[in-house]
Amino acid sequence: MHDERRRIEERVERVHNQRIKPAIYAATVPFEVEAWQAPGEPVPFEEAAAAPYEPFAMDTLWGPPWGTTWFRMRGQVPAEWAGRRVEAVMDLGFVGDWPGGQAEALVHLADGTPLKAVNPLNQYVPVGNPATGGEQIDYLVEAASNPDILANDFAEPTPLGDVLTAGDRPLYTFRRADLAVLDEQVWHLDLDLQVLRELMVHLGEHEPRRHEIMHALDRAMDALDLDDISGSAAAVREVLAPVLARPAHASAHTVSGVGHAHIDSAWLWPIRETKRKTSRTFSNVTSLADEYEDFIFACSQAQQYEWVRDNYPHVWARIQESVKKGQWAPVGGMWVEADGNLPGGEAIARQLIHGKRFFIEHFGVETKGVWLPDSFGYTAAYPQLAKLAGNDWFLTQKISWNQTNKFPHHTFWWEGIDGTRIFTHFPPVDTYNARFSGEEMDRAVRNYSEKGAGTRSLAPFGWGDGGGGPTREIMERARRLADLEGSPKVVVEHPDDFFAKAREEYPDAPVWVGELYLELHRATYTSQARTKQGNRRSEHRLREAELWATTAALHAPGYAYPYEKLDRLWKTVLLHQFHDILPGSSIAWVHREAEAEYARVAEELEALTAEAVAALGAGGTRVFNTSPYDRTEVIRTSAGAPAYVEVPASGSAPLAASAVESPQPVTVSGRVLDNGLVRVQVAEDGTLSSVYDIRANREVLAGQGNLLRLHTDLPNYWDAWDIDKHYKNRFTDLLDPDSVTVVEDDPLLGAIRVTRTFGKGSTITQTITVRAGSPRVDIETDIDWHEAEKILKAAFPVDVRAPHSSAEIQFGHVQRPTHTNTSWESARFEVSGHRWVHIGEPGYGVAVLNDSTYGHDVSRTVREDGGTTTTVALSLVRAPRIPDPEADQGRHRFTYSLLPGATIGDAVAEGYALNLPLRVAESAGAAEPVVSVAGEGVTVEAVKLADDRSGDVVVRLYESRGGRARGVLRTGFPLAGAQVTDLLERPLEEEATAAVAGDGGVEVTLRPFQVLTLRLRRGQ
């Protein structure tokens, strides 16, 4: 047989694209269109309906950046269209090949009922099927002219990322607004051809099946009348029917498809626009569910549901109905799809608590899995927290973006830091926006790592980020691929069903231990430092407000615990932990608003805490300690004078009574600070030339400490997201200070201030402080930052041979090798941590603490004298220009610290101390802390009243050092009983009743890093 592949394939491609596709709509009549440009922010339907409209012609420019234009469209279905499928078809001027992040619209009936959205790849609205002919159509269309920030693949900075800088030049040309007849035979023919052509080109040239399809397509083209596409479409489909009917091989891989629409809660658009994106996409989804009974849609992020509930009641009602019918599957059980590294432990717990409760309350559905496809790596604390929230499975996707190493599994057990395992899947289709293309189906099979053991994988399908979600075309592809030779079998099903089947067939799946580190997007630990600082501060202020509100509720008659306010504030903080807000990868508008929200949260939480403390009554000045550890340290009183105080964990003490005699006073001599525990010498260049641990009789540093190094930082792509290894090759050390000055010389504290000017007019002022009774060296930092495409690091070369570093994560810490023996270790050149990083050798360790920094690197070298230098370098601030050209510009204030001679336990305690400053207030306080714990390693993370308003006290604690721990928890109130609960404060059946000792304490035994939630019933 002659090889005619080229002729046939080119023939089919041309006829398909140039003749068949244009014939999908058999007849059209234009709408009469009028327009009204809404001033400023979006307006309610009622206001738009009453607005003055003006005639609008097609091929006319419309839509300034971030604007809203309302179009009134009127038309009449021609009488001769009776019995046919009629649709409204609109092209707003869609651009590029990305269906999200550009113009979108929501179509309403004249009474305000939302019908369906119009998106780049979903341009129709059903009118009648069949039409009766003569119908009067009257639509009001809310069109959003969102700019395409992703244009040109982020090649250049753009001012379009903020309404304040975007200008008002119209962005789009309205191309089409028609009533049209959908020719269903031609439409189905188009889909038959799509599926067969794509299957054909992804089969090997040696495969007989490829050639069978090719010749069937050639015969189909012979059957097509080019002068009557509509009239011959049915005959063409008959030619293709036999090749579409050939069943899949018995051993064919099964792809479980689930409808999905990944909608970033903010990214290249502000939160206000996401509220509208959700309504558009969800209206599309519920409309599609009416057309396809076998359709199932999985949707996460309770926050987005709440937005729709509050702003689009019609869409909300349709969602509720779809859930009842089993076509809509709430998944994920989180408030938002949060970043997987940066939120604190209690914050991740609250993500799960608030998300799961929302779905239980509004749908009667308890989600069973964590749905988190698009986050930039995942903390090793997740398996335990997911299980404690009642989840059985975990789904992610982003690890497929690894720059260096291919992740070895697609279905596996993920083991967290405490030993908890959760069944996890990582779809080999490598996308959460699948459309069942031939390329995707080929990739899913070829890529699947579990061949020979597992037979199935998951594929979330649908256009995300405002693309409108799943479409009827994708559903039709799924139907054709349900049982088709040469392709994996496709079944649309609930993700719970997929996970149950996958686990049943592969119960002994391999185990991955520890974090799921993404070898990409490492700069998200640092970009937009003020956003990250706002999150850290908010988490700690929430802890503080809950503790003292609980204290007041127990001891202050008439005080009302602020349930609603705390709930609202928690949800605000949880929203801003979304995986494109907290990581710093959003446009300027998003981060501008985030900083304002954090300021508002801080103000409200400060007021709540002050109110709770004041409610405890008048009685002099008192010091309050929110930390879970006893504190003896130097503070400044309200008058500004230093005082040395002792305050119990989670408790308070009178300022006068808490004052204790200070140990050896601080002395300041030249540029040397000495408190008898540590002696710090500041060099002329402003670095630390020596930090001598007097207790251990050893020098801590092996080089210049607190060396500020300014690196060139231009990644290959994804500026706000990435830091590539070549940043290390070009840098400037900041060694020319403007001044080095003693600014504090007191027996309780001494401080030296170093000021520098550098780069493009940036300044940095650092105050190096040593306090009586503490080996901790604080470096308070104030930066006025005006650099571009730079990263500033602060390095501490330490004279220890550390085989690994330990970095705090949620409810524990992870150890990472300091060597680069393999490509896996080498790829971890920038990593995340929370309040501390610890390095050490047997018998001696050093910690570097921080109050708002997450990114760092740890490296080591061997010196000529044979000793080893292990260097911890904190990433302080960056200056990416895309997608926010002014990212990180301006003022930053934060503190980081060096803690010589530190154990892991010391790092934990001092990390809390640095992040939870002692509070001085006028108050009588409470006689005892709400809870106190005796037992090393048992750390209290949260103290609050139960969410069910029963008055029970809920305490969450964990083992913080990495070993087994035993302790006794005692209460500052009469204790009637204790229960062990899950995160949602429901009793755990296997250990429902906690042991209460005879003296009223609760006995606690914890495995390494175990999280335990106790519900304490109050006695009389």
Side-chain angles (χ1 to χ4, degrees):
M1 183 182 291
H2 298 297
D3 185 354
E4 294 196 278
R5 286 176 298 173
R6 180 174 178 180
R7 176 190 67 78
I8 295 171
E9 290 176 8
E10 289 179 350
R11 178 193 188 192
V12 174
E13 180 180 15
R14 180 177 185 183
V15 172
H16 187 192
N17 291 335
Q18 295 184 11
R19 300 301 174 89
I20 295 173
K21 284 183 178 297
I24 289 174
Y25 285 106
T28 63
V29 294
F31 276 106
E32 292 182 4
V33 182
E34 297 176 305
W36 173 68
Q37 175 68 47
E41 288 297 286
V43 302
F45 175 87
E46 293 74 18
E47 183 176 340
Y53 285 76
E54 297 181 355
F56 183 88
M58 290 298 97
D59 298 316
T60 299
L61 281 168
W62 71 279
W66 307 114
T68 301
T69 304
W70 285 81
F71 295 98
R72 173 166 278 139
M73 299 183 182
R74 293 190 173 101
Q76 183 175 9
V77 177
E80 61 269 25
W81 289 3
R84 307 183 74 178
R85 187 167 178 171
V86 178
E87 298 177 345
V89 184
M90 305 172 200
D91 182 346
L92 305 178
F94 301 119
V95 297
D97 58 0
W98 183 44
Q102 53 169 295
E104 307 168 50
L106 182 61
V107 180
H108 302 75
L109 292 175
D111 65 1
T113 302
L115 279 182
K116 184 181 171 295
V118 173
N119 313 89
L121 299 175
N122 196 342
Q123 299 182 13
Y124 74 96
V125 177
V127 172
N129 184 22
T132 59
E135 294 100 326
Q136 296 289 333
I137 308 301
D138 189 352
Y139 291 151
L140 273 175
V141 180
E142 181 191 32
S145 48
N146 301 330
D148 183 9
I149 305 296
L150 193 58
N152 302 318
D153 289 333
F154 287 145
E156 297 290 338
T158 173
L160 291 173
D162 196 330
V163 69
L164 301 180
T165 59
D168 57 5
R169 182 178 64 84
L171 298 176
Y172 298 101
T173 300
F174 207 132
R175 296 196 183 97
R176 180 181 189 182
D178 295 331
L179 283 168
V181 174
L182 178 71
D183 190 319
E184 295 188 65
Q185 282 290 356
V186 177
W187 179 67
H188 278 290
L189 174 59
D190 169 59
L191 289 158
D192 292 344
L193 289 171
Q194 286 183 41
V195 169
L196 287 172
R197 285 181 61 200
E198 291 175 5
L199 174 59
M200 176 182 67
V201 299
H202 284 95
L203 288 169
E205 294 184 0
H206 63 285
E207 295 279 355
R209 174 65 165 160
R210 175 170 180 153
H211 297 271
E212 291 171 3
I213 295 172
M214 179 182 68
H215 286 288
L217 290 171
D218 198 28
R219 292 193 300 274
M221 296 302 98
D222 291 339
L224 183 69
D225 185 346
L226 297 180
D227 296 320
D228 186 8
I229 301 295
S230 178
S232 59
V236 178
R237 294 194 68 207
E238 288 182 11
V239 174
L240 296 176
V243 288
L244 283 167
R246 292 284 294 272
H249 296 305
S251 60
H253 183 76
T254 298
V255 173
S256 295
V258 57
H260 184 48
H262 178 82
I263 303 178
D264 287 315
S265 290
W267 180 30
L268 306 181
W269 48 86
I271 286 172
R272 71 93 147 139
E273 194 55 33
T274 313
K275 295 177 182 179
R276 301 201 293 177
K277 284 179 180 287
T278 54
S279 69
R280 300 177 195 126
T281 293
F282 294 174
S283 66
N284 284 354
V285 170
T286 53
S287 177
L288 192 64
D290 291 338
E291 290 188 67
Y292 292 87
E293 292 183 356
D294 53 338
F295 173 62
I296 295 176
F297 179 72
C299 185
S300 64
Q301 305 196 78
Q303 172 68 87
Q304 295 185 1
Y305 287 75
E306 185 175 80
W307 286 333
V308 173
R309 183 199 68 189
D310 293 346
N311 298 297
Y312 297 89
H314 290 94
V315 179
W316 172 249
R318 286 157 61 181
I319 291 172
Q320 289 180 307
E321 184 61 31
S322 291
V323 172
K324 289 178 183 177
K325 291 193 298 185
Q327 292 187 277
W328 186 297
V331 294
M334 297 178 69
W335 192 247
V336 296
E337 289 184 12
D339 179 80
N341 289 308
L342 305 178
E346 188 61 24
I348 291 183
R350 302 301 176 98
Q351 288 281 359
L352 292 161
I353 291 165
H354 284 290
K356 292 201 64 151
R357 282 216 183 109
F358 185 93
F359 294 136
I360 291 170
E361 176 184 349
H362 294 285
F363 302 118
V365 172
E366 177 158 1
T367 56
K368 292 299 182 183
V370 176
W371 183 281
L372 196 55
D374 182 26
S375 185
F376 313 138
Y378 306 89
T379 170
Y382 249 124
Q384 180 179 198
L385 294 174
K387 294 288 282 188
L388 285 173
N391 292 297
D392 298 326
W393 54 261
F394 191 98
L395 178 131
T396 175
Q397 176 65 65
K398 203 62 172 233
I399 303 299
S400 66
W401 286 39
N402 269 7
Q403 219 172 22
T404 305
N405 299 284
K406 179 178 172 58
F407 193 78
H409 312 301
H410 285 101
T411 300
F412 58 99
W413 288 97
W414 181 18
E415 181 178 314
I417 52 174
D418 73 310
T420 299
R421 292 179 178 179
I422 191 166
F423 195 72
T424 301
H425 184 66
F426 164 36
V429 72
D430 279 359
T431 180
Y432 41 79
N433 296 313
R435 59 185 183 91
F436 299 129
S437 69
E439 178 187 5
E440 290 169 349
M441 295 299 92
D442 178 63
R443 182 169 62 242
V445 176
R446 181 168 28 87
N447 201 27
Y448 185 56
S449 300
E450 319 307 323
K451 297 182 185 75
T455 65
R456 61 186 64 243
S457 64
L458 189 71
F461 65 86
W463 305 111
D465 284 335
T471 64
R472 61 188 180 185
E473 288 78 14
I474 300 177
M475 280 299 298
E476 290 292 338
R477 285 172 172 266
R479 287 180 169 182
R480 287 162 174 77
L481 295 171
D483 191 13
L484 182 62
E485 183 186 357
S487 171
K489 293 180 285 188
V490 173
V491 55
V492 177
E493 64 181 345
H494 194 294
D496 285 351
D497 295 332
F498 161 76
F499 274 94
K501 294 172 184 175
R503 182 171 175 174
E504 181 180 5
E505 75 168 3
Y506 201 16
D508 57 345
V511 177
W512 181 269
V513 179
E515 65 184 331
L516 294 174
Y517 177 84
L518 178 63
E519 296 175 357
L520 196 73
H521 293 357
R522 303 168 181 90
T524 58
Y525 316 143
T526 305
S527 296
Q528 298 284 3
R530 283 184 295 268
T531 296
K532 291 174 172 59
Q533 186 177 75
N535 175 73
R536 178 79 69 85
R537 296 280 195 274
S538 296
E539 289 180 349
H540 287 82
R541 286 187 172 111
L542 280 161
R543 174 197 180 104
E544 188 174 24
E546 286 185 337
L547 173 64
W548 301 118
T550 303
T551 305
L554 294 174
H555 298 292
Y559 176 83
Y561 189 84
Y563 291 101
E564 290 86 0
K565 290 180 180 179
L566 288 170
D567 180 81
R568 175 174 49 79
L569 291 166
W570 259 116
K571 287 175 179 175
T572 298
V573 174
L574 298 180
L575 165 59
H576 288 85
Q577 291 176 343
F578 179 75
H579 65 252
D580 275 309
I581 302 178
L582 182 52
S585 47
S586 288
I587 56 173
W589 190 346
V590 173
H591 291 288
R592 172 169 57 82
E593 290 190 333
E595 291 176 33
E597 281 291 277
Y598 284 131
R600 182 185 62 78
V601 167
E603 183 178 358
E604 286 198 53
L605 286 172
E606 180 62 28
L608 286 179
T609 301
E611 180 183 354
V613 167
L616 294 169
T621 305
R622 203 169 181 91
V623 184
F624 292 81
N625 174 20
T626 308
S627 163
Y629 291 94
D630 296 342
R631 308 260 288 271
T632 304
E633 62 185 66
V634 176
I635 64 167
R636 289 192 184 275
T637 66
S638 56
Y644 193 68
V645 298
E646 186 174 54
V647 193
S650 304
S652 64
L655 177 59
S658 65
V660 294
E661 184 177 347
S662 68
Q664 182 173 332
V666 177
T667 61
V668 181
S669 177
R671 297 189 304 276
V672 178
L673 308 173
D674 189 328
N675 68 355
L677 301 174
V678 64
R679 184 167 58 249
V680 177
Q681 182 168 341
V682 180
E684 288 186 9
D685 61 16
T687 63
L688 304 182
S689 57
S690 173
V691 175
Y692 194 82
D693 188 337
I694 298 170
R695 301 164 302 171
N697 193 28
R698 64 182 285 171
E699 175 61 46
V700 175
L701 299 177
Q704 294 166 301
N706 192 38
L707 175 63
L708 297 174
R709 179 165 283 180
L710 186 66
H711 295 262
T712 297
D713 180 23
L714 182 66
N716 293 343
Y717 196 62
W718 298 105
D719 290 27
W721 292 259
D722 284 355
I723 177 171
D724 287 333
K725 190 176 290 187
H726 53 251
Y727 88 90
K728 295 184 177 183
N729 300 334
R730 188 173 182 84
F731 57 85
T732 300
D733 291 340
L734 305 184
L735 298 174
D736 187 16
D738 299 330
S739 63
V740 180
T741 310
V742 174
V743 292
E744 197 85 49
D745 186 355
D746 185 275
L748 291 181
L749 75 161
I752 295 173
R753 182 165 295 154
V754 180
T755 61
R756 305 177 190 275
T757 304
F758 62 94
K760 297 181 179 180
S762 298
T763 60
I764 181 167
T765 301
Q766 294 195 302
T767 304
I768 302 159
T769 303
V770 170
R771 293 174 175 81
S774 173
R776 197 177 90 195
V777 182
D778 289 344
I779 302 170
E780 300 171 51
T781 302
D782 189 332
I783 303 178
D784 188 14
W785 180 251
H786 299 287
E787 305 308 299
E789 296 172 347
K790 298 287 191 294
I791 184 170
L792 181 65
K793 290 212 165 211
F796 292 90
V798 179
D799 189 9
V800 297
R801 182 172 175 79
H804 61 259
S805 64
S806 299
E808 187 189 40
I809 63 169
Q810 301 83 352
F811 295 111
H813 60 267
V814 291
Q815 293 182 340
R816 302 179 177 111
T818 55
H819 63 72
T820 55
N821 283 356
T822 73
S823 58
W824 293 88
E825 285 91 28
S826 179
R828 284 179 167 86
F829 59 83
E830 181 81 2
V831 291
S832 66
H834 283 220
R835 290 169 291 211
W836 53 266
V837 180
H838 182 274
I839 54 174
E841 61 190 21
Y844 194 80
V846 174
V848 179
L849 317 169
N850 72 84
D851 71 358
S852 58
T853 300
Y854 294 89
H856 67 277
D857 69 89
V858 181
S859 60
R860 66 175 184 172
T861 58
V862 176
R863 305 187 299 271
E864 290 186 2
D865 64 4
T868 299
T869 300
T870 304
T871 301
V872 177
L874 297 179
S875 300
L876 303 181
V877 64
R878 294 186 72 228
R881 301 175 63 216
I882 300 170
D884 175 5
E886 299 297 317
D888 282 313
Q889 298 299 300
R891 202 71 174 273
H892 301 269
R893 296 184 182 90
F894 49 84
T895 298
Y896 55 91
S897 308
L898 184 70
L899 185 65
T903 64
I904 292 290
D906 295 331
V908 172
E910 289 298 317
Y912 275 109
L914 182 62
N915 283 269
L916 291 165
L918 294 172
R919 171 182 290 268
V920 178
E922 300 300 314
S923 174
E928 297 179 70
V930 174
V931 294
S932 58
V933 177
E936 292 188 353
V938 182
T939 302
V940 174
E941 180 63 14
V943 178
K944 58 187 286 292
L945 289 191
D947 292 338
D948 63 6
R949 307 197 182 197
S950 61
D952 292 349
V953 175
V954 172
V955 179
R956 191 147 26 248
L957 41 82
Y958 70 106
E959 195 289 314
S960 59
R961 301 185 184 186
R964 293 189 178 273
R966 296 177 61 89
V968 177
L969 181 145
R970 290 188 170 81
T971 63
F973 56 89
L975 179 64
Q979 284 184 320
V980 177
T981 74
D982 66 4
L983 294 184
L984 278 71
E985 301 170 12
R986 304 174 298 193
L988 288 173
E989 294 181 4
E990 64 273 18
E991 45 185 341
T993 303
V996 179
D999 61 359
V1002 180
E1003 296 178 356
V1004 176
T1005 301
L1006 300 175
R1007 66 179 180 271
F1009 301 130
Q1010 181 182 356
V1011 176
L1012 184 70
T1013 303
L1014 292 174
R1015 185 180 184 118
L1016 308 176
R1017 192 171 72 257
R1018 294 153 59 185
Q1020 299 299 319

